[in-house]
Amino acid sequence: PRSHVVFLKTHKTGGSSVVNLLSRYGESRQLRFALPHRYQFGYPSPFRAEHVRGFRPGGGKFDILCHHMRFDLGEVQKVMPNDSFYFSIVRDPGTLGESAFSYFRAAAPAFRNSPSLDAFLDSPSRFFQPGIRGNHYARNLQWFDFGLPDPVDPKEIPGILEKLERVFPLVLLAENFDESLVLLRDRLCWPRHSVDVFPHNSRGRPQKISPAQIRRLRAWNSLDWALYSHFNRSFWREAEKFGISRLRREVAEIRRRREFLAGRCLRGGGPVPAQAIPDGNLRPFQPPGGGKILGFALQEGLGKEERELCRRMALPELPYKDLLERGQFGAKNG
């Protein structure tokens, strides 16, 4: 099993669910997490080794790095061992753009100043000014999170992406999340139950998006579309190597286990609105002015061991990070 793992958590791609399973795996094996001083590694500035709590030049390396950052390979290598496995997750910008518009409405002036997504897409340059704080959320957000150059000569894009693939031998797809979990588990040589996960940070009643909006979002986020298209192809090459029929069988098993665990663990058998969650620690962060983010309420009457498993699976990213921090640095530092 691989115990040195770097996950580049990109925004609005399902990354919070991946962070949950990495947190549970690492915590259960007492691995050492590279943790930010707050909840992100100096984002949106590029990652720096000194953003990691407890980092000392020449000191010991960490086992797992998985919280939000803008990627910088040289700086990450200062805190992570040379044999670390790097992976990330991407999403079609045609749907990610709508999700970002809802979630980052308050944070991105380009979105905040636009009365609606359609108005924004009718004339993005009317609302968007590059370099304004927060506007990185409004265009090519995944390209930004990967720390790639912008602006860029279109002729250079294929070479940039090929080089990136050498750093990230596996990039998951948000649209094929369960298939992604199968390939990830195989590459990490982790046990099957290690990829049991509930869908974190889902939205209540996401807005329906039209084919025309999808086309315009892909065109506006053309660097993200190039990035996504490249890693979509690399993902299915990995899937072919793994074996498509084997992949389908393992996906079906993951879904059976998730349904069973949701029935055992969760009130209502799935995500619920935050106000329906009595335990404050299980309520997910709600972005100012954004769509309502769902979380999980635990069933009553669970035994101690089962309750602990269910609670870890339901725990949102921010309180889980606090929990990991207390485990590594002591209660006073939580």
Side-chain angles (χ1 to χ4, degrees), residues 5 42-43 74 76 95 109 111-112 135 138 156 161 166 170 245 272 294 307 328:
V5 177
Y43 190 89
V76 168
T95 58
F111 291 157
R112 191 167 61 241
N135 270 355
E156 293 176 8
L161 294 174
R166 290 197 287 274
L170 179 65
S245 58
V272 294
L294 305 180
R307 182 175 180 79
Q328 279 184 210

Side-chain angles (χ1 to χ4, degrees), residues 208-266:
K208 284 196 169 65
I209 186 158
S210 71
Q213 286 174 317
I214 287 173
R215 283 195 300 275
R216 287 155 88 187
L217 282 164
R218 287 172 177 171
W220 172 245
N221 296 285
S222 58
L223 295 176
D224 270 10
W225 180 236
L227 178 80
Y228 176 80
S229 301
H230 179 93
F231 283 115
N232 187 301
R233 290 189 293 271
S234 73
F235 179 88
W236 290 109
R237 283 197 301 271
E238 290 293 314
E240 291 281 354
K241 278 192 269 183
F242 183 83
I244 297 296
S245 58
R246 181 183 164 206
L247 184 64
R248 288 195 187 117
R249 283 195 304 273
E250 294 206 17
V251 163
E253 177 60 23
I254 277 178
R255 290 174 179 165
R256 275 195 299 273
R257 283 184 56 83
R258 182 180 300 138
E259 196 175 335
F260 169 77
L261 286 165
R264 293 288 301 170
C265 290
L266 305 177

